Amino acid sequence: MNSKIWYIPARNDRLEKKVGIYCRVSTAEKEQLYSLAEQISALTRAVANVSQWRLADVFIDIASAKGDIPRREFERLMKECEAHNISVVLTKSISRFGRDTVETLTAINKLKAAGVRVIFEQENLDTDEVDSDLMISVMESLAQAENESRSENIRMGLAMRAANGTSGLYKRKLYGYTKNINGELVIDEEQAKNVRDIFRWYLDGASVLGIIKKLYDAGVLSPTGKEKWNKRTIETMLSNEKYTGTVTLLDSATQEYEYQMKECIPPIITESEFRAVQEEKKNRSNIVTDDEGTHRSSKKYSSKKKKQ
C-alpha cells in the first residue's frame, strides 16, 4: 500500500527574530549626522553578533526632543511592530527612543502587548528581563540625572560664554537699539530720543505716570506698539544700566555668576545721568532701612520729585 509521507522541517522560533533598529538625532548638522551614522553602525554590528537575529529594517528620525515635531519613522516602527513584522527593537538609549518618560512608557507598553522586545543598548535594559515597575523606576532615575546634568552643562556653558564675552545675552535687543546686519546692537535714533527724554523728565521732577502722559500726548508708541505705555516698562527702563553701555549678566537661578562688560554697546545716556536717576528714585521712595529692618516710612509716598 502506497502512502504519502510529508516532510515537515523543524521550526526554530529563535531564527525568526526580525530586528528593527531605531535611531534619532535632533538636527541635520554635520556633527549630528556623524552621530547618526555611528548609531546605525554600532547597532547593525550588534544585530550581526546574534545568530538568531535578522535585520528587518532601520528607522531613522531627524527630530528634536520637542513634542510638537512629528517622528514619522517612529510611528512607522510602531505600526510595523503591531503588524508583527518586527520582533525585536534595538535602540541606542532611552533618550533616543522616547522624548519623555510618559511617551517612552506608553510606547513600551504597546510593544510589550504586541509581543515585541525592546533593548536599550546604553542602559543595558531589556524589556524581556525587566518588569514594568522596575523599568519605570530606572527611567525616572535616569531622566532626573540627565536633566540635572543637562541643566548644569547649560549653566556652565552660559557662564563660560559670559566670562569670555561671547554670550549672546550681551547683545539682547533693547528699546532704543536695533541690530545691524552683523547682529550688533546699534542706536535707533528715534527710540533713543525717547529714552533720553524719559530720563530727563524724571530728573526734572516728573512722576512715572507723568512721563506716561507726556509720551501719550506726544504720540510716542510703547515698545509693543501700544498708544499708552506701561508703568512697569518705564520703571524698568529707568533702572536699566545697559543704556550706559554697560551690560551685567547674572545667573537668575543661583545668583552665583555675575559678569559685567563695560562699553559693550553704544551708550544712550551717560553714567552720571543713570546714577542721578537711581539716587532720585531713592529720594522719592518711602522704603527706609533702620534698626527695625526694611519697611515703608510713615510718610505718604510720592513718585514726584521732592521739593528742596
Side-chain angles (χ1 to χ4, degrees), residues 72-89:
R72 292 185 174 85
E73 283 292 276
F74 184 81
E75 293 170 2
R76 187 171 73 86
L77 167 67
M78 296 298 292
K79 290 178 180 178
E80 287 292 296
C81 289
E82 291 174 336
H84 305 293
N85 295 325
I86 301 289
S87 303
V88 180
V89 172

Side-chain angles (χ1 to χ4, degrees), residues 22 35 39 43 90-94 96 120-123:
Y22 179 73
S35 172
Q39 285 184 53
L43 295 175
L90 186 61
T91 188
K92 178 184 177 182
S93 66
I94 291 173
R96 296 295 91 190
F120 303 100
E121 187 188 46
Q122 185 170 294
E123 292 85 4

